[in-house]
Amino acid sequence: MGVVLCISHLTSQILFYTFAFLVLVLPLVQSAGVTRHYKFNVRLENVTRLCKTRSIPTVNGKFPGPKIVAREGDRIVVHVINHLKHNVTFHWHGVRQLQSQWADGPAYVTQCPIQSGQSYVYNFTITGQRGTLWWHAHLSWLRVHLYGPLIILPKQGIGYPFPQPYKEVPIMFGEWFNSDPEAVIKQALRTGGGPNISDAYTINGFPGPLYNCSAKDTFKLNVKPSQTYLLRLINAALNTELFFSIANHSFTVVETDASYVKPISTNTLLISPGETINILLSTHQKTPNSSFLMAASPYTTSKGTFDNTTVAAILKYTAKILPVVKPTLPGFNDTAAAAKFNTKLRSLASQSYPAWVPTKVDRHFFFTVGLGTSPCPKNATCQGPNGTKFAASINNVSYVAPSIALLQAHYYRLLKGVFTVDFPGAPLIPFNYTGIPPNNTFVSHGTKVIKLRFNTSVEIVMQDTSIQGIESHPLHLHGYNFFVVGQGFGNYNPNKDPARFNLIDPNERNTVSVPSGGWVAIRFLADNPGVWLMHCHLDVHLSWGLSMAWVVEDGPLPNQKLRAPPLDLPKC
């Protein structure tokens, strides 16, 4: 009898612990990420737009490139094989690259380029992120053709903090050149003048019906009445911020740069190169007797020439050919409309999605951001302002790419001759930044970085300047999200403006535009060791040197240290 009781008691214990194991462990197993493999064959492909056929770089023969889809917690492995004559790298824009710093992708920053005929495997895990990001080439102007969506779904069983959409559609804005963009930028850098502008903007690779010889090259979105669509907007355009609207429809902004925001109902938005914005579009309850243009046009205050055209796609309720209704977009220089949209954005800041804004700042920085000039070389003729060459800088330092990757130099302590740690934390010569520019507009050149201790809380105020004209600059920070705690027009006032900072629910982003003739303040926690580029996402300004880099030192714990480089890391 005692033996039976003992066995019965043992059996009940086994059942209890088995049940406890299933309850506690199985959800962890189910929620663990999976590994998703992709192969990128980078090769030339003939593509025709505006009745002009060009051989352009593509990934797997597609323009735009293939969509990467994963869930939060998944590992992504992308095997890149370069069949081009050009070197190439790829950046996974907005991915924090925690413990995978060698996979970030900017050329001569975290890696040497993948040379012709060579390959490299990008290997990273999506940690604590979900939403719309994107991937693109990060060398010269190759990203004009090499880009695609990177969509991160929430973990299994976790929904969106907004109504579940009937369908999700990526909408990628781009630019099309009838000539070779690599030749365009090479000529501009040689002559010192502004580069030739693009011939069209595109939506999902197509210019649309408002361009000559392009009626058939139009993206069409077929929708049903009384449904909600999640449009994942991505600005992959090379040099242009864009206003976007849909004729006779309003929509709700629910996410920026893969971070949820408090819903904003609007009929027009501004999206800058590098930025992503998710919107909910509710279709009409009854099938209308019209089709509707989804259109985008440029926003710029630049003195230079720009592509002042409008790209459009068609929103269709039926297969019939119906009259097309056009939306009304703001003027190309409507800074008030740009500011009205950007200042509305707020983080969700909920219990499930808190806004961890640094309230105590360890290091303050003040960056002037804008254009300048460089002297014309002897015995040369230059086409920049007053016979000089155009340049761009942060705190008057124009970035010079090194001959090996900054991250390799940092890891192996090969600093001499590669970079210095004396990037200025404020302008060396203060001036009236948005007033009459100084007589001397020459910039200095160098490869300078700022070194940060692990877990340093950072505040950067970025100030536009009037040198060569006021202009908006979309600044992208690699390896981090940051909070936009303040912004305004004119010169930043350190005695008054911080009192108006939003430390409760500021917009969380990886790319933000410094307002034309104004300033923006951001904060982030330097909790990701490595070397991280910060640069303007207008590629002409990037080519002119509007970049700098942060070196973040290791933390004390094993998972807070920079890992050794992968064995297949490309060599310079």
Side-chain angles (χ1 to χ4, degrees):
M1 183 71 174
V3 173
V4 172
L5 284 173
C6 184
I7 293 174
S8 177
H9 178 67
L10 181 62
T11 302
S12 65
Q13 279 190 317
I14 291 171
L15 289 172
F16 171 79
Y17 285 113
T18 301
F19 176 76
F21 173 83
L22 292 172
V23 168
L24 295 175
V25 177
L26 271 188
L28 296 177
V29 173
Q30 290 173 348
S31 64
V34 301
T35 300
R36 302 180 185 271
H37 292 270
Y38 293 86
K39 180 174 281 189
F40 277 19
N41 279 294
V42 188
R43 62 173 184 261
L44 295 176
E45 189 79 19
N46 285 338
V47 174
T48 302
R49 298 289 186 269
L50 308 178
C51 287
K52 176 80 172 181
T53 300
R54 288 187 43 239
S55 185
I56 68 170
T58 66
V59 170
N60 301 343
K62 296 181 178 180
F63 171 66
K67 178 170 63 176
I68 289 180
V69 181
R71 289 193 180 274
E72 180 184 347
D74 285 355
R75 185 162 67 107
I76 297 176
V77 178
V78 185
H79 184 193
V80 176
I81 306 168
N82 182 15
H83 302 281
L84 303 177
K85 291 181 180 179
H86 295 286
N87 293 345
V88 73
T89 71
F90 286 95
H91 171 51
W92 319 95
H93 187 111
V95 175
R96 290 213 54 201
Q97 299 296 357
L98 296 164
Q99 296 189 279
S100 54
Q101 294 87 341
W102 302 98
D104 191 46
Y108 302 105
V109 179
T110 58
Q111 68 167 97
C112 296
I114 307 168
Q115 297 178 29
S116 179
Q118 301 298 309
S119 66
Y120 181 47
V121 176
Y122 292 92
N123 188 337
F124 55 92
T125 299
I126 305 295
T127 304
Q129 294 181 273
R130 81 294 306 164
T132 301
L133 296 174
W134 62 300
W135 59 264
H136 61 81
H138 211 300
L139 177 62
S140 188
W141 278 20
L142 288 174
R143 79 171 179 88
V144 71
H145 300 124
L146 298 173
Y147 62 84
L150 199 170
I151 295 169
I152 308 165
L153 302 172
K155 290 182 178 179
Q156 286 281 7
I158 298 177
Y160 299 126
F162 47 79
Q164 179 69 27
Y166 169 73
K167 191 176 181 180
E168 303 181 11
V169 184
I171 302 289
M172 298 201 77
F173 305 103
E175 290 186 64
W176 174 264
F177 289 77
N178 281 335
S179 55
D180 178 12
E182 287 300 289
V184 168
I185 185 56
K186 284 178 182 176
Q187 180 188 26
L189 294 177
R190 184 175 62 253
T191 64
N196 292 338
I197 60 173
S198 58
D199 293 281
Y201 301 111
T202 58
I203 291 180
N204 289 348
F206 296 106
L210 302 183
Y211 292 98
N212 291 332
C213 195
S214 192
K216 293 182 179 179
D217 290 333
T218 300
F219 175 73
K220 299 178 180 67
L221 178 58
N222 298 310
V223 298
K224 296 181 178 180
S226 299
Q227 298 291 351
T228 299
Y229 292 78
L230 179 65
L231 304 187
R232 299 178 177 269
L233 309 181
I234 301 166
N235 190 348
L238 202 66
N239 290 312
T240 312
E241 298 179 271
L242 294 167
F243 287 116
F244 172 76
S245 187
I246 304 174
N248 289 16
H249 289 73
S250 60
F251 43 80
T252 303
V253 177
V254 293
E255 178 193 302
T256 59
D257 290 357
S259 295
Y260 297 130
V261 298
K262 291 181 171 66
I264 299 170
S265 181
T266 184
N267 55 18
T268 303
L269 59 78
L270 177 71
I271 185 167
S272 299
E275 293 182 346
T276 68
I277 299 177
N278 281 7
I279 61 173
L280 291 178
L281 171 67
S282 296
T283 54
H284 295 314
Q285 293 182 354
K286 295 182 180 179
T287 302
N289 292 321
S290 303
S291 295
F292 305 93
L293 289 189
M294 304 188 293
S297 62
Y299 163 63
T300 181
T301 58
S302 169
K303 288 182 178 179
T305 57
F306 65 97
D307 183 353
N308 193 13
T309 60
T310 300
V311 62
I314 296 179
L315 186 76
K316 298 176 58 181
Y317 284 77
T318 70
K320 297 178 183 178
I321 298 175
L322 297 172
V324 176
V325 182
K326 299 179 181 180
T328 300
L329 289 158
F332 71 86
N333 58 354
D334 195 339
T335 295
K340 181 180 179 182
F341 175 73
N342 282 331
T343 54
K344 284 182 180 180
L345 298 168
R346 295 285 185 272
S347 286
L348 203 55
S350 65
Q351 186 173 355
S352 299
Y353 304 100
W356 299 112
V357 189
T359 54
K360 173 182 168 292
V361 176
D362 297 320
R363 296 191 66 180
H364 294 263
F365 298 94
F366 182 75
F367 286 176
T368 53
V369 177
L371 303 187
T373 57
S374 292
C376 189
K378 288 183 179 180
N379 302 319
T381 302
C382 294
Q383 298 174 2
N386 300 316
T388 63
K389 299 183 75 171
F390 269 116
S393 68
I394 299 176
N395 280 351
N396 210 50
V397 178
S398 188
Y399 178 79
V400 177
S403 56
I404 68 168
L406 297 178
L407 188 60
Q408 288 174 286
H410 167 62
Y411 182 80
Y412 291 112
R413 301 293 186 261
L414 303 172
L415 310 188
K416 189 175 181 180
V418 181
F419 67 84
T420 57
V421 293
D422 57 346
F423 189 92
L428 298 180
I429 304 175
F431 60 98
N432 181 2
Y433 306 113
T434 54
I436 298 174
N439 292 328
N440 183 2
T441 62
F442 287 163
V443 302
S444 63
H445 297 267
T447 311
K448 301 174 183 287
V449 306
I450 292 177
K451 184 174 283 191
L452 298 172
R453 290 183 177 179
F454 184 82
N455 259 1
T456 297
S457 56
V458 176
E459 178 183 286
I460 314 168
V461 175
M462 294 181 285
Q463 172 75 58
D464 182 34
T465 74
S466 58
I467 299 175
Q468 309 305 332
I470 59 171
E471 189 172 357
S472 178
H473 299 276
L475 266 290
H476 171 51
L477 175 60
H478 288 232
Y480 290 93
N481 280 2
F482 52 76
F483 292 96
V484 184
V485 297
Q487 53 194 304
F489 290 104
N491 294 340
Y492 171 74
N493 187 328
N495 298 317
K496 294 181 179 179
D497 289 326
R500 299 186 289 115
F501 283 1
N502 175 11
L503 304 181
I504 305 300
D505 61 350
N507 190 205
E508 184 177 358
R509 307 206 73 138
N510 61 59
T511 306
V512 67
S513 283
V514 181
S516 179
W519 57 270
V520 65
I522 66 172
R523 290 186 182 184
F524 68 96
L525 185 67
D527 60 354
N528 192 8
V531 180
W532 305 107
L533 192 66
M534 190 170 84
H535 64 92
C536 184
H537 227 281
L538 302 178
D539 273 27
V540 60
H541 294 173
L542 176 61
S543 299
W544 286 339
L546 213 166
S547 303
M548 58 83 63
W550 304 87
V551 173
V552 180
E553 296 178 323
D554 285 353
L557 302 178
N559 66 344
Q560 298 170 344
K561 298 183 186 302
L562 178 61
R563 294 181 174 182
L567 296 177
D568 66 336
L569 188 72
K571 294 178 173 58
C572 287

